[in-house]
Amino acid sequence: MSAVAEVLSTVALNRDPRSSELPTCPVCADSMVAAEGSAYVSDHVISYLWTCDNCGYGFVTKHAIKQRFLCN
């Protein structure tokens, strides 16, 4: 069985860093609960591999991480 993957870019604008919007499958619209895997692409980018439990479609999302500094 061959796998098909698509890269989807996600950008979170001014969101609470503790909250997240989980993706839905672009093929069957089923809710995705947890990524199958993740990898650091660079210092500020992480990619996640998602596979739909309902239809088997796979895709990758990339997330840019903003570095936050705490001041005492």
Side-chain angles (χ1 to χ4, degrees), residues 7-68:
V7 176
L8 304 175
S9 178
T10 59
V11 177
L13 301 173
N14 299 323
R15 295 191 187 245
D16 182 353
R18 294 169 292 178
S19 68
S20 67
E21 286 190 24
L22 295 173
T24 56
C25 177
V27 173
C28 70
D30 193 29
S31 297
M32 311 294 277
V33 177
E36 248 186 76
S38 62
Y40 284 101
V41 176
S42 67
D43 286 341
H44 302 289
V45 178
I46 298 175
S47 66
Y48 294 95
L49 170 64
W50 300 88
T51 303
C52 180
D53 290 333
N54 189 45
C55 71
Y57 183 76
F59 59 96
V60 175
T61 58
K62 290 186 179 182
H63 301 273
I65 299 172
K66 290 184 180 180
Q67 195 171 25
R68 294 181 181 233

